[in-house]
Amino acid sequence: MGHRKGSIKNSSMNEIEIQIKRSSRRTLSLQITREGQVVVHCPFSTTQEQIQMFVDEHRQWIGENLEQVKWRLTKRPVMTSEQVWKAKSLARMTLSAKVRFWAAKMGVTYGTISIRQQATRWGSCSSKGNLNFNWTLILTPEPLQDYVVVHELAHRLEMNHSDRFWKIVESQIPDYKERRNLLKTYENQVTVME
Ligand SMILES: [Zn+2]
């Protein structure tokens, strides 16, 4: 099975480098690797013209996905697993201190504090008061970290997102709405190297 690099000219895009991987498969398929390499997987018998046609047909898909991958690669910092490990322990120290501070100020108790890799949530609070925080919170500005801590601790008083809940948050963090909105811009902010 030969891996041949072919450069294919695409009319509406700049020249993009395409890697051709031939195998005993029956159909053609496209792949964009995490590193931003476009790969055409095709049967051994596929001609250069067929590959060209296939790429032309999918140029919009390639363009969109390539842009996304490149954005991720260039705009988002890439962290090694060692850097992540350090960030996690920093997150544990920093957020534990913040929980202690805000819990005393708000007059609430809490259980354990866990630092996790949560894909979509910054934090959570169980009915027993156990707190979970996303380690990437440590990569956001401190006022946003405070907001998340106060938000989770406010669940010790209100286990929902009712008006009463937001009143509690607001009593501690008057500009919580701005912080909450700002936090959204920090989602998926880092690429972890594996
Ligand atoms: Zn909540």
Side-chain angles (χ1 to χ4, degrees), residues 151-152 155 161 165:
H151 179 123
E152 299 315 332
H155 280 313
H161 293 119
F165 169 83

Side-chain angles (χ1 to χ4, degrees), residues 17-190:
E17 194 169 82
I18 290 178
Q19 194 178 2
I20 299 162
K21 285 190 176 175
R22 295 172 190 275
S23 64
S24 55
R25 58 183 297 130
R26 286 165 186 273
T27 55
L28 282 86
S29 79
L30 267 171
Q31 180 204 1
I32 295 177
T33 66
R34 285 171 64 130
E35 293 75 35
Q37 173 71 54
V38 182
V39 185
V40 173
H41 297 271
C42 60
F44 286 114
S45 60
T46 317
T47 65
Q48 195 70 15
E49 288 70 32
Q50 285 171 316
I51 294 169
Q52 175 69 67
M53 254 174 59
F54 183 69
V55 168
D56 278 345
E57 278 166 17
H58 294 87
R59 64 185 166 212
Q60 196 183 342
W61 185 90
I62 296 172
E64 284 168 6
N65 285 280
L66 205 53
E67 207 172 294
Q68 240 180 37
V69 170
K70 288 202 169 138
W71 183 86
R72 240 183 283 143
L73 286 174
T74 56
K75 298 286 194 298
R76 300 204 310 179
V78 177
M79 288 176 81
T80 64
S81 48
E82 198 193 343
Q83 287 172 318
V84 170
W85 187 84
K86 282 179 184 163
K88 276 182 184 167
S89 55
L90 182 64
R92 184 176 301 279
M93 278 196 318
T94 308
L95 296 171
S96 299
K98 285 190 181 301
V99 167
R100 262 198 307 279
F101 170 81
W102 285 106
K105 194 164 177 289
M106 294 165 75
V108 296
T109 59
Y110 56 92
T112 58
I113 299 171
S114 308
I115 304 298
R116 297 223 173 125
Q117 184 115 29
Q118 288 161 307
T120 54
R121 307 170 81 180
W122 291 108
S124 65
C125 176
S126 77
S127 55
K128 287 178 183 162
N130 294 329
L131 303 165
N132 288 313
F133 295 104
N134 187 323
W135 71 270
T136 60
L137 193 55
I138 199 68
L139 307 173
T140 71
E142 246 192 294
L144 307 190
Q145 300 171 21
D146 283 313
Y147 160 70
V148 173
V149 168
V150 168
H151 179 123
E152 299 315 332
L153 287 174
H155 280 313
R156 295 296 288 143
L157 302 166
E158 287 288 331
M159 268 319 268
N160 49 50
H161 293 119
S162 61
D163 287 348
R164 267 190 304 181
F165 169 83
W166 290 113
K167 284 267 178 296
I168 296 163
V169 175
E170 194 174 23
S171 71
Q172 304 299 322
I173 306 214
D175 65 338
Y176 79 91
K177 280 182 187 162
E178 282 154 48
R179 299 193 198 190
R180 191 180 53 182
N181 288 336
L182 210 52
L183 202 53
K184 290 193 183 115
T185 65
Y186 285 90
E187 280 167 14
N188 303 317
Q189 60 185 331
V190 67

